[in-house]
Amino acid sequence: MSFQVMLTELTTGMLITMSIFVLTLICSMPLGFLVAFGRMAKNSVIRRITQFYISVMRGTPLMLQLMVVYFFPWYLFHIPLGSNWRFPAIILGFSINYAAYFAEIYRSGIEAIPKGQYEAAKLLGYSKSQTFIKIILPQVFKIILPSVTNEIITLVKDTSLAYTLSCLEMFSVAKQIAAAETSMVPFAVAALFYYIFNLLVSFIMNRMEKKMSYY
């Protein structure tokens, strides 16, 4: 196999990797907020359910969670598993896993805001929703951005676990080419792709941090 053909196949795999990355962020970051609010809820039942959810997601391997999500419809409802379910199962598995991590990051940021700011906003006539959106949330974003950046960079690398469900993302493609050609070059090229992708993510997140450095 020529280097150009190998590069083309790896690029195709990289597009799948990027799709998993982007869709996971789109789904997991908003879901993380819902879980964070549940984690801080005054209702003890909701709080304990979300605590258990976070504990399971953080305490078991992502690879195992992907397998559970994929085979769950068959073993519980005997719904036939077609190839069309593979990619949605991957996105769902990644999303519920990363939502748990984002939830704890969000919670720590929200709880880091002094209670006096809520009281001051109330005296100024702000409602609870206005206080959170206009006063608390901008500060929370500034506090949690470094931790969110670390999770996003980890997600770039974790996308390789999609091979568990036979998804031909970049790592799977590199592994197939390496086995066929008995060469380590595909792995080296894949590593370079991951590195460049992470550099791009780091650059974007660092720019965001600088723009939010208002105090």
Side-chain angles (χ1 to χ4, degrees), residues 13 15-24 66 69-70 82-95 159 162 165-169:
L15 292 175
I16 301 297
T17 293
M18 292 176 67
S19 298
I20 296 171
F21 172 79
V22 171
L23 290 173
T24 298
L66 289 171
V69 171
Y70 182 68
S83 58
N84 291 335
W85 169 238
R86 182 176 291 114
F87 191 75
I90 289 169
I91 301 304
L92 178 59
F94 272 94
S95 297
T159 54
L165 300 183
S166 302
C167 177
L168 290 178
E169 44 69 52

Side-chain angles (χ1 to χ4, degrees), residues 66-91:
L66 289 171
M67 294 178 68
V68 169
V69 171
Y70 182 68
F71 291 108
F72 178 82
W74 168 252
Y75 284 106
L76 200 63
F77 302 111
H78 295 287
I79 299 175
L81 299 174
S83 58
N84 291 335
W85 169 238
R86 182 176 291 114
F87 191 75
I90 289 169
I91 301 304

Side-chain angles (χ1 to χ4, degrees), residues 122-183:
K122 186 176 181 180
L123 290 174
L124 290 171
Y126 284 91
S127 65
K128 288 184 178 180
S129 59
Q130 289 175 325
T131 300
F132 185 77
I133 294 172
K134 294 183 178 181
I135 299 174
I136 304 303
L137 204 55
Q139 296 179 72
V140 169
F141 282 143
K142 177 66 174 67
I143 292 170
I144 68 174
L145 206 51
S147 298
V148 169
T149 300
N150 288 335
E151 284 302 317
I152 291 175
I153 289 173
T154 301
L155 173 59
V156 174
K157 295 176 286 186
D158 277 353
T159 54
S160 61
L161 292 176
Y163 82 89
T164 306
L165 300 183
S166 302
C167 177
L168 290 178
E169 44 69 52
M170 189 172 59
F171 180 75
S172 299
V173 173
K175 189 166 61 172
Q176 286 184 357
I177 297 173
E181 301 293 321
T182 60
S183 170

Side-chain angles (χ1 to χ4, degrees), residues 1 26 28 30 39 48 60 62 65 81 91 99 103 113 120 129 149 167 170 181-182 189 215:
M1 179 184 293
I26 290 173
S28 64
R39 178 73 172 77
R48 287 173 184 173
T60 56
L62 175 55
Q65 293 169 23
L81 299 174
I91 301 304
I113 305 300
S129 59
T149 300
C167 177
M170 189 172 59
E181 301 293 321
T182 60
V189 176
Y215 64 86

Side-chain angles (χ1 to χ4, degrees), residues 47-64:
R47 191 169 62 250
R48 287 173 184 173
I49 290 173
T50 51
Q51 284 177 339
F52 178 72
Y53 163 75
I54 292 171
S55 176
V56 171
M57 291 298 106
R58 298 173 70 189
T60 56
L62 175 55
M63 185 183 298
L64 177 61

